[in-house]
Amino acid sequence: MRSYVTFLHTILNQTRQNAMSTNSTIQAVYPWTKAPLLASAPMLNIATAPLAVAVSAAGGLGFLAGGFDVSSVESNFQEAVQLIKGSDSMIREIYCTSNVLPIGVGFLNWGADLPKAIAAIEKYRPCAAWLFGPKKLPDDLRPWVEQVRTVTGGETKIWIQVGTVAEAVVVAESLNPDVLVLQGSDAGGHGLAQSASIITLVPETKDALGARQLNPIPLLAAGGIVDGRGLAASLALGASGAVMGTRFLASLEAKVARDYQKEVLRASDGGVSTARSTVYDRVRGILSWPSRYNGRGVINQSYVDAIERGMG
């Protein structure tokens, strides 16, 4: 019993020390944020300027959706600048003194136009660029990482989303990201078709990176986190904070049809009320996702028609 208690105390102390160290690093880079860090995901067509700015103003880190079609990035950045300048929170002072936007932007790298994205990043200087969904990892992300760092002098930090331990290791070794977003299989929206829960993904990744003596990289857990219990669990697993996506669909600032929002709020027992599929992409005419990705959504009539009635 004593050996077990000693072991338990050792693990708890290590977790606490690791969390304090990475949280200090995060807050030094993003001084308006509260610890532990909570970020909002760059959800395609949903995470526009009002949501991103609201999250950062509340002490988190909000992301704009650059997506795969970057044609609206410029207008989103312009709106974000005006909202930040009109904010009564700390983010206004941060922006005025640093000229770095206290919000990030995320891109789907299988389709996003690199030159246009880089031009927008150079002009507006978001605090972070979230990269996800390359056709080939890590090679397709290399020019993004290099050019973002070059045009901003390193002021825009690199966040890379991965879904396996192997992906995390290769990205850490070859691209040296500032943050790794570890997306587990419970996540809504798009992710790897074959992946693990954050329950195993976070600690395994942390151990794998430590075994290779890589520089400490803050890990953020994503997938199925909707409240303080999930955030606390993420910290216990070894993450420095968490990312939420679906949870923010219920916010007033989310650009989402109200009937869709009501359906998300209505759904419960996610293991049976949601499904991973490519149906929703086909319905929307988005056919360019690499084959190893699919998306989780609420089972609705479109899904039933496609899967059960063969109409998709």
Side-chain angles (χ1 to χ4, degrees), residues 19-108:
M20 290 175 63
S21 175
T22 53
N23 281 331
S24 297
T25 301
I26 288 172
Q27 287 190 292
V29 177
Y30 313 113
W32 69 91
T33 61
K34 301 174 183 178
L37 180 65
L38 181 62
S40 61
M43 296 175 287
L44 184 63
N45 299 326
I46 294 172
T48 55
L51 178 58
V53 173
V55 171
S56 288
L61 205 170
F63 277 83
L64 293 175
F68 59 87
D69 176 4
V70 301
S71 59
S72 63
V73 169
E74 176 86 13
S75 60
N76 263 316
F77 272 132
Q78 290 175 349
E79 183 180 3
V81 168
Q82 296 307 310
L83 290 172
I84 290 168
K85 287 181 176 178
S87 173
D88 59 0
S89 74
M90 185 180 179
I91 62 172
R92 179 176 61 182
E93 180 181 353
I94 293 291
Y95 178 60
C96 291
T97 56
S98 69
N99 203 35
V100 174
L101 282 175
I103 60 170
V105 61
F107 297 99
L108 296 173

Side-chain angles (χ1 to χ4, degrees), residues 32-304:
W32 69 91
T33 61
K34 301 174 183 178
L37 180 65
L38 181 62
S40 61
M43 296 175 287
L44 184 63
N45 299 326
I46 294 172
T48 55
L51 178 58
V53 173
V55 171
S56 288
L61 205 170
F63 277 83
L64 293 175
F68 59 87
D69 176 4
V70 301
S71 59
S72 63
V73 169
E74 176 86 13
S75 60
N76 263 316
F77 272 132
Q78 290 175 349
E79 183 180 3
V81 168
Q82 296 307 310
L83 290 172
I84 290 168
K85 287 181 176 178
S87 173
D88 59 0
S89 74
M90 185 180 179
I91 62 172
R92 179 176 61 182
E93 180 181 353
I94 293 291
Y95 178 60
C96 291
T97 56
S98 69
N99 203 35
V100 174
L101 282 175
I103 60 170
V105 61
F107 297 99
L108 296 173
N109 299 104
W110 54 260
D113 185 291
L114 176 58
K116 291 180 180 179
I118 293 298
I121 288 173
E122 182 176 18
K123 180 177 180 179
Y124 292 99
R125 275 179 149 66
C127 68
W130 177 321
L131 309 178
F132 170 56
K135 293 179 179 178
K136 187 176 181 181
L137 189 73
D139 293 348
D140 287 356
L141 293 186
R142 200 178 306 279
W144 284 81
V145 171
E146 293 173 351
Q147 292 188 45
V148 168
R149 285 175 169 157
T150 297
V151 300
T152 68
E155 288 183 324
T156 297
K157 305 304 179 184
I158 302 297
W159 290 37
I160 298 180
Q161 178 181 329
V162 296
T164 68
V165 177
E167 282 190 343
V169 169
V170 73
V171 165
E173 289 181 331
S174 59
L175 302 176
N176 191 28
D178 298 289
V179 171
L180 275 173
V181 178
L182 306 181
Q183 186 199 48
S185 55
D186 288 339
H190 284 85
L192 292 177
Q194 184 176 4
S195 58
S197 164
I198 58 171
I199 294 293
T200 57
L201 180 59
V202 173
E204 280 194 66
T205 298
K206 195 170 187 69
D207 290 347
L209 297 180
R212 289 162 176 78
Q213 298 182 333
L214 295 168
N215 292 329
I217 300 173
L219 307 178
L220 296 186
I225 301 167
V226 297
D227 56 20
R229 292 170 295 182
L231 178 55
S234 300
L235 300 180
L237 292 169
S240 300
V243 173
M244 293 185 188
T246 305
R247 181 63 182 84
F248 283 105
L249 291 177
S251 65
L252 293 174
E253 295 84 358
K255 185 180 178 182
V256 58
R258 294 309 163 201
D259 286 343
Y260 176 37
Q261 190 176 59
K262 290 177 183 177
E263 185 68 5
V264 170
L265 290 169
R266 180 201 63 79
S268 61
D269 200 1
V272 294
S273 64
T274 68
R276 299 201 69 90
S277 174
T278 60
V279 165
Y280 302 109
D281 290 326
R282 299 200 300 272
V283 169
R284 296 185 180 99
I286 303 173
L287 307 176
S288 298
W289 274 95
S291 59
R292 62 199 187 101
Y293 297 99
N294 62 18
R296 180 182 297 281
V298 176
I299 295 174
N300 59 16
Q301 194 60 49
S302 296
Y303 180 87
V304 172

